[in-house]
Amino acid sequence: MMEEFVARFNNLARLIDQPSVLVDRRGTVVLASQGAFELLGHHIAGQSFDGFIRHPDFVAALQMALTQDQQTDLLYTRMEQVPRQFEIRLAPFDKNHVFIALIDKTLERSVERIQSEFVANVSHELRSPLTSLSGFIETLMGPAADDKQAQEKFFPIMQSEATRMQRLIDGLLSLSRFEAEAHRPPTDAVDLRAIIDEVVAIKSHMADGRNIQIAVTSEWEDATQTPLVRGDRDELLEVFHNLLENAVKYSNEGSDVVFALSQGRDLAGATQDDRIRVQVTNTGPTIASQHISRLTERFYRIDEGRSRSMGGSGLGLAIVKHILNRHRGRLRITSENQQTCVSVTLPTER
């Protein structure tokens, strides 16, 4: 009889293909699917399910399923580094048990929000370059139609504005993609040292043009001893590409940019064996403290004119933040005495 009871739950859980639990009249977890254990932990077995979701309407929904044979849906936000939205569906299993499925709605809700934000950002940020292009085109089609000097002046500006619009669109598309996937942490084992070496090689020509030396230091004497991290290789390339590009752009000519790899540190400075830290340090203008906390906001620029003249879209650090959120990593920025350090901490592969 018990085997049939368990088999019935397992078949239903497989059919739904969502984290599922079975609770008794008191709300105690009797059975749970592998997905539920992965989401909430194996310690949910034999415990009150309400203690793990803490929803004010859970007890009432449980009683409705038991006494009125009624299905109830509850909305629940699980607060993690990247918040996740679930629909908790409770339905009668038998007279003494209730079947509960946790349906992940994070991607669906994220896509709705991202679509709205994308339209708002595009309409706002493209207004200026589109207005400029419209004015130049009107001038070149009208009073300057045969003015060679005006054409030589305006065409490069028009090309620059068109390129800026392309950068903005590309950046917003990337940002939207990373935001949509933030609730799904990557699981691949990635060689972080190899990624950094590749980024340094790609950006060396940019550094050479400003007479800047890029150095890589590490706590691990042999590069092959550097711990692997859990991550997506292409996304981590994007992170360190953005950080190195910023470091070179805003460094003093003839200075150094240093990548330093070490074991992770917590906020108290104690080492974390399951973390690896990469610090990117450059010498240049000190960033005032009031700007530090806002640097990862989309389109935030300390010096808007200088950023745009250097080809900045104002999205680089926002993209970095969202990629690191997906990787369950941390970003910290400090700046004093003309030294700016961007610190990235990532979980290692265990």
Side-chain angles (χ1 to χ4, degrees), residues 117-131 133 159-177 238 297-301 304 307-308 311-316 318-319:
E117 289 180 354
F118 183 87
V119 171
N121 286 325
V122 167
S123 62
H124 179 266
E125 289 295 321
L126 294 188
R127 185 177 293 114
S128 175
L130 279 173
T131 300
L133 280 173
Q159 178 64 48
S160 176
E161 291 294 277
T163 301
R164 180 156 74 93
M165 286 193 292
Q166 186 63 57
R167 281 199 307 269
L168 284 169
I169 293 171
D170 290 344
L172 284 168
L173 288 172
S174 294
L175 189 58
S176 298
R177 185 175 75 252
E238 180 86 3
E297 294 178 14
R298 62 184 69 190
F299 304 119
Y300 186 79
R301 303 175 179 93
E304 189 162 329
S307 178
R308 284 182 172 165
S313 66
L315 292 172
I319 289 172

Side-chain angles (χ1 to χ4, degrees), residues 9 17-21 29 31-45 49 52 78 80 84 86 102 104 183-185 187 230 328:
F9 168 78
D17 195 27
Q18 297 285 346
S20 304
V21 299
V29 176
L31 295 170
S33 68
Q34 184 59 34
F37 284 137
E38 291 174 358
L39 176 66
L40 301 171
H42 283 79
H43 54 283
I44 65 173
F49 190 65
F52 297 95
R78 184 168 175 80
E80 301 174 355
R84 297 175 66 181
F86 290 89
L102 289 88
D104 194 340
H183 66 291
R184 295 176 179 169
T187 56
R230 287 199 311 273
R328 305 306 185 255

